[in-house]
Amino acid sequence: MKLGCIADDLTGATDLALMLAREGLRTTQTIGVPRADLDLSGADAVVVALKSRTISAQDAIDQSLAAAQALRKAGARNLFFKYCSTFDSTDEGNIGPVTEALLNLTSSDFTLACPAFPANGRTIYKGHLFVNGVPLHESSMKDHPLTPMRDSNLVRVLQRQTKLPVGLISYEDVEGGPDAIRAAFEREKAAGHRIVIVDALSDKHLRAIGLAAADFPLITGGSGVAMGLPAAYRRSAADASPSTERSFDAPAGRSIILAGSCSSATQRQVETAIEAGIPAFRLNPTELATRDVTAQTALDWLAGQDATGPVLIYSTATPEDVQAVQSKLGRMNAGEIVENTLAQIARTLPALGITRIIVAGGETSGAVVNALGVEALAIGPEIDPGVPWTRSLGGTDLALALKSGNFGAPDFFLKAWTMLR
Ligand code: ADP
């Protein structure tokens, strides 16, 4: 394994895994710290998805170290600590404390911190992070409920989280390419800095930074900075090329879509699927709360459907409907009722011969993946930006597409199946 990655949340982990897979590394994502006997031998890169962004710094350190140790035991040569491209954190952490702990673990004295992701509008100039051209502290991140970001100077932000001296490599050095960046790393190290924020305004910058840092025992950043790493590892290993694969081996079996997202993209996808004639069953949270409808009602309906094409079970509703339900049942309670019902349905799918599953919704995906007991995912080709086909590893053999609510084109639920072999 060339690269062992630790991500501080689930969708961030998928984002990174997809980036590495697209650039030609065989990539596996695990849900939490992998069991010691999980076979990771086929992977060039493994991404461990934690949920450590907003937990206490000590818990984040403990979980990240456990993940790092598991990755090193499985053969990881280098480590990558992945956080959000908006540097989501508090003054206490967890980016600084986890970076310190991982530097200690790898017995190294220097690393970089680069959350830039220009393709998504996140750029760093003179150490200041911009979101679509707006300084971080003026972007919507200033009002984030858990990690409000009120300072766009990342040197200052990170310095508040760590005792290690933080430096800056600005874009003049980065413009000079990998050799100039390597020289700047040496200069900063000699100046006593242990972590450097690195400017990046373009993919060209990210690729140069990746090449310059590829041999570091520890790299930290967003998924953007991982863009240049596969090329560096390929050059030394000469064994892979960027993936252009558009089809994916999937287990034989029936297909289903479980939609628990109410985001506008999912609403359109549900409408498009129904218009195209996909049999659909709507879960209404009010009926679920009174138990007039249960998971079993949906499963009985499912048993009567044609087994040859995909079917759809959805709770997707308009903002007005969601609001009406929430005022009756409470926001969290309504969400939980739907998630639990979809999880119960998911649990019985393998026994019904349903092995190809699309899930719409971030929280919904977490609930379904847990219910199915999925421990790890091999990352396959991208269906639409940010959403790959994946195949479960370890337990029941499944093809899964876990779609964040607002991702994907209107015909996502129709076209995704055509990629499966
Ligand atoms: P997204 O990725 O679009 O944010 P999530 O699955 O993360 O989707 O979140 C959607 C939340 O809304 C879940 O907790 C889900 O259970 C809940 N939910 C789904 N359908 C309804 C509905 N009709 N009324 C109220 N809440 C719903």
Side-chain angles (χ1 to χ4, degrees), residues 10-63:
L10 177 64
T11 46
T14 307
D15 180 16
L16 174 62
L18 196 55
M19 174 72 77
L20 296 170
R22 207 190 287 143
E23 296 288 326
L25 296 188
R26 284 167 302 174
T27 304
T28 296
Q29 177 179 339
T30 70
I31 318 291
V33 178
R35 269 187 300 117
D37 55 345
L38 187 70
D39 182 11
L40 299 169
S41 57
D44 299 320
V46 173
V47 183
V48 176
L50 298 178
K51 201 173 181 309
S52 56
R53 185 169 295 167
T54 53
I55 60 179
S56 77
Q58 191 55 51
D59 286 345
I61 290 171
D62 292 346
Q63 289 184 21

Side-chain angles (χ1 to χ4, degrees), residues 30 46 80 82 126 132 135 149 199 249 283 348 376 378 388 407 416:
T30 70
V46 173
F80 188 104
K82 155 77 173 72
K126 300 285 178 187
N132 295 320
M149 300 303 289
D199 278 1
D249 282 326
L283 295 170
T348 62
F407 283 10

Side-chain angles (χ1 to χ4, degrees), residues 65 76 87 113 126 142 144 156 235 242 279 287 327 346 386 388 419:
L65 286 176
F87 216 68
K126 300 285 178 187
K142 71 181 189 303
H144 191 278
R156 267 195 318 245
R235 234 178 21 179
E287 292 171 356
S327 61
M419 296 172 70

Side-chain angles (χ1 to χ4, degrees), residues 79-361:
L79 292 180
F80 188 104
F81 171 39
K82 155 77 173 72
Y83 38 78
C84 188
S85 61
T86 43
F87 216 68
D88 300 14
S89 50
T90 65
D91 284 353
E92 289 73 48
N94 291 331
I95 296 174
V98 170
T99 301
E100 267 184 47
L102 293 173
L103 276 172
N104 282 337
L105 180 79
T106 53
S107 311
S108 49
D109 60 359
F110 190 76
T111 190
L112 73 156
C114 182
F117 199 168
N120 284 349
R122 277 68 159 155
T123 52
I124 308 173
Y125 175 72
K126 300 285 178 187
H128 289 261
L129 181 59
F130 291 80
V131 180
N132 295 320
V134 175
L136 180 65
H137 69 277
E138 292 176 21
S139 76
S140 62
M141 281 306 297
K142 71 181 189 303
D143 302 317
H144 191 278
L146 302 175
T147 51
M149 300 303 289
R150 304 260 162 86
D151 187 355
S152 59
N153 182 328
L154 296 185
V155 176
R156 267 195 318 245
V157 173
L158 187 55
Q159 194 64 83
R160 282 196 287 269
Q161 300 179 24
T162 176
K163 287 191 206 66
L164 301 178
V166 179
L168 170 67
I169 293 183
S170 57
Y171 92 103
E172 290 91 340
D173 287 316
V174 177
E175 264 292 301
D179 287 338
I181 299 169
R182 280 187 202 102
F185 284 149
E186 291 309 317
R187 186 190 66 219
E188 288 301 308
K189 225 190 272 189
H193 293 138
R194 304 274 307 277
I195 311 175
V196 284
I197 301 291
V198 185
D199 278 1
L201 300 168
S202 64
D203 284 359
K204 191 184 100 196
H205 289 162
L206 288 177
R207 289 185 191 277
I209 295 164
L211 284 172
D215 292 332
F216 284 11
L218 173 69
I219 298 169
T220 88
S223 56
V225 79
M227 192 181 287
L229 296 176
Y233 300 143
R234 270 203 309 276
R235 234 178 21 179
S236 44
D239 59 356
S241 56
S243 164
T244 51
E245 190 78 67
R246 289 297 298 160
S247 65
F248 190 54
D249 282 326
R254 295 174 62 189
S255 310
I256 196 166
I257 304 150
L258 301 175
S261 158
C262 299
S263 296
S264 53
T266 304
Q267 287 187 49
R268 273 199 305 281
Q269 287 153 355
V270 166
E271 277 164 26
T272 308
I274 293 172
E275 278 164 18
I278 291 184
F281 184 91
R282 172 158 186 249
L283 295 170
N284 176 334
T286 313
E287 292 171 356
L288 294 173
T290 55
R291 305 211 42 87
D292 288 324
V293 170
T294 62
Q296 192 55 48
T297 323
L299 290 168
D300 291 343
W301 169 84
L302 186 57
Q305 300 308 309
D306 177 9
T308 55
V311 296
L312 165 66
I313 296 180
Y314 70 105
S315 65
T316 309
T318 61
E320 299 77 44
D321 285 351
V322 171
Q323 212 165 18
V325 162
Q326 286 179 342
S327 61
K328 241 186 291 176
L329 302 176
R331 179 193 299 268
M332 298 313 272
N333 187 34
E336 231 166 80
I337 289 171
V338 174
E339 281 174 39
N340 289 342
T341 307
L342 286 170
Q344 265 178 40
I345 294 168
R347 211 169 281 127
T348 62
L349 296 179
L352 302 174
I354 299 180
T355 56
R356 299 166 167 209
I357 306 172
I358 295 175
V359 189

